[in-house]
Amino acid sequence: MTLLGAASELSGSSDELKNLKVTGPNLEDFVKTQSIDFRLNNNNNQRRLRAADIPKLADDAIVPLSLDDAVNRAFQFFAEFENKRFKPILDVTLPVIESVEPGSPAGLAGVKPGDIVTYLNAVKIESVTGFYFALNDRPAAEFTLKLLRNKRDTISVVMRITGKGTINDSNVGLRFVTPADAVYYTEQETKRQADQYRREMLSAIPIDWRADAANNLMQNAKRLNLIARGVIDPSGSNPAKIQSREVLAWQHKKYLENVDIYFSQKWKIERRSADYLTGMGDAVVALVCSLFIFAIAFGLFWYQRQLPGKSA
């Protein structure tokens, strides 16, 4: 009975190990830890963001991607979310240039920090988002910028890209003066953040779970993006103050905690299995000893039964 019980327990432990997995964190758990006031679309009332407000993903929308594709897509979702979140601010922020990347189309054209963009070709530019929208609306390999320099001189510069391709937000080489934390996430900045995540965060996750962690991040980033699209009023004066970097740090921390929980549970199951094997070993040794003693006793009994016959 002891052997049968131990065998049954080992079979159960084997099933537990097969079903054991690292669970990815959900955005609802993040929201529960936050004190976030927001305004619904077409509703002036503000309240705390609830887990029930997080949009669900349809089953056919949860398609695992390769590790690199999942990371890239996650940060594209983050960029879309941040650009929506800061749109009300950047819509009223003057396009004052903070820095110019050397060797870029802007740098080669002679654009300087402090210049204010007033026109892109014939399109009047009145804000940071207005510049990016005009730039991306009609991509070209060459265009003219009108600038206000030193708040009094109006100059025109021609921006050209060397080689093939068009000038866009990722290669134009301009950075604007914006309020704290308010930034337009260009394609180049999005790629930089994705690479930084690979170096500093993803590398800390055991290799067997990196693709799963990246896909979990992608799904949470997509749902975060859907909040801005379907729930939050981005034109409101107090849209939800969720930041993608906070979600990123939380997801990474929780995933590592869940990996630790996995190994802890695995160790307990394996330790229990080892105890069962030890018990089985003891039972087998006891059985062998019992059989050995029984054989000796039976031999002695048989020998004693033979002695009278020999004496006769």
Side-chain angles (χ1 to χ4, degrees), residues 31-293:
V31 171
K32 292 175 184 177
T33 67
Q34 305 299 304
S35 299
I36 303 169
D37 292 329
F38 77 106
R39 192 176 81 174
L40 289 171
N41 286 325
N42 303 318
N43 189 335
N44 289 324
N45 296 325
Q46 292 188 32
R47 63 170 172 80
R48 295 291 171 87
L49 192 62
R50 301 167 184 161
D53 295 320
I54 308 299
K56 302 290 185 183
L57 295 180
D59 291 340
D60 58 356
I62 306 177
V63 179
L65 302 179
S66 67
L67 190 150
D68 280 339
D69 288 344
V71 171
N72 291 336
R73 198 71 189 98
F75 281 87
Q76 288 169 8
F77 285 131
F78 280 145
E80 290 174 17
F81 171 76
E82 293 293 352
N83 288 343
K84 292 172 189 173
R85 190 166 77 91
F86 289 123
K87 185 177 183 299
I89 298 174
L90 298 180
D91 278 348
V92 294
T93 301
L94 285 176
V96 180
I97 296 170
E98 180 180 58
S99 61
V100 181
E101 183 180 346
S104 67
L108 295 175
V111 181
K112 297 181 179 181
D115 289 348
I116 301 174
V117 180
T118 56
Y119 280 88
L120 191 156
N121 290 333
V123 180
K124 187 175 182 180
I125 306 299
E126 297 179 313
S127 66
V128 172
T129 50
F131 171 81
Y132 284 118
F133 287 155
L135 178 66
N136 294 325
D137 185 45
R138 294 183 179 179
E142 176 180 317
F143 59 80
T144 300
L145 277 188
K146 284 187 178 180
L147 307 168
L148 182 63
R149 182 167 292 174
N150 300 323
K151 297 183 179 181
R152 63 177 185 273
D153 302 324
T154 299
I155 63 172
S156 294
V157 298
V158 177
M159 299 178 65
R160 299 182 180 89
I161 189 167
T162 56
K164 296 181 180 180
T166 59
I167 301 174
N168 52 54
D169 58 22
S170 66
N171 61 22
V172 65
L174 292 179
R175 187 178 183 87
F176 292 96
V177 177
T178 58
D181 290 334
V183 62
Y184 181 87
Y185 282 78
T186 65
E187 181 181 350
Q188 184 177 18
E189 175 64 14
T190 302
K191 289 180 178 179
R192 186 193 68 78
Q193 291 197 4
D195 290 339
Q196 183 178 3
Y197 168 77
R198 290 186 179 95
R199 291 193 310 271
E200 299 178 4
M201 291 185 170
L202 195 61
S203 60
I205 296 173
I207 192 169
D208 289 344
W209 289 283
R210 288 178 187 174
D212 181 75
N215 275 277
N216 176 259
L217 179 66
M218 177 187 70
Q219 292 171 17
N220 283 323
K222 184 173 184 177
R223 298 179 71 195
L224 181 68
N225 193 27
L226 291 175
I227 293 177
R229 182 181 302 169
V231 178
I232 296 171
D233 179 4
S235 64
S237 58
N238 291 298
K241 296 177 177 63
I242 304 177
Q243 297 186 19
S244 60
R245 67 174 180 229
E246 292 178 353
V247 175
L248 175 63
W250 169 83
Q251 189 268 353
H252 180 64
K253 179 175 179 290
K254 293 297 293 182
Y255 201 93
L256 286 177
E257 289 176 356
N258 291 347
V259 169
D260 289 340
I261 291 172
Y262 168 87
F263 280 116
S264 176
Q265 292 176 338
K266 183 182 179 184
W267 181 84
K268 289 179 181 178
I269 295 171
E270 290 175 341
R271 181 61 183 268
R272 193 169 68 240
S273 297
D275 291 341
Y276 293 146
L277 287 172
T278 301
M280 288 180 67
D282 292 342
V284 169
V285 170
L287 177 62
V288 170
C289 290
S290 298
L291 291 174
F292 182 72
I293 293 171

